[in-house]
Amino acid sequence: RGTRWLGVMRVRLQLADGQLSPALPLQTRLCRFDQLDDADLAFEHDPACRTRAGLLATLQRHYPGFAPGVWVTVCDFWLD
């Protein structure tokens, strides 16, 4: 939610074993939540969040008041 990650060029992720990944290139863009499409969610790590309805329900649990018109930063990265 918001622009915190907008423009960040690289990120390190915490892996399942607790270690940090090497720095990964990150691509970000700003859009409204209701502008997300199926392609934006296809590779979401949580299967429950691979649809807009599922992601909306999850975000509403974590961010009370989260609504479909809220601006979000989409972050794309790739793991080998």
Side-chain angles (χ1 to χ4, degrees):
R1 178 174 70 172
T3 60
R4 177 179 175 202
W5 292 97
L6 188 63
V8 173
M9 303 291 290
R10 299 184 79 66
V11 66
R12 293 181 72 184
L13 304 174
Q14 185 171 6
L15 304 174
D17 64 3
Q19 299 294 314
L20 290 178
S21 72
L24 302 168
L26 185 66
Q27 293 180 331
T28 62
R29 65 184 168 84
L30 188 64
C31 72
R32 283 194 344 247
F33 180 85
D34 57 8
Q35 295 173 323
L36 295 172
D37 62 25
D38 292 342
D40 292 319
L41 305 177
F43 299 106
E44 171 62 41
H45 69 280
D46 182 347
C49 297
R50 292 184 186 153
T51 65
R52 204 169 17 190
L55 181 57
L56 179 60
T58 298
L59 290 173
Q60 287 175 329
R61 278 195 307 275
H62 293 285
Y63 302 101
F66 187 92
V70 168
W71 287 92
V72 296
T73 300
V74 178
C75 299
D76 291 313
F77 57 88
W78 293 263
L79 296 172
D80 289 333

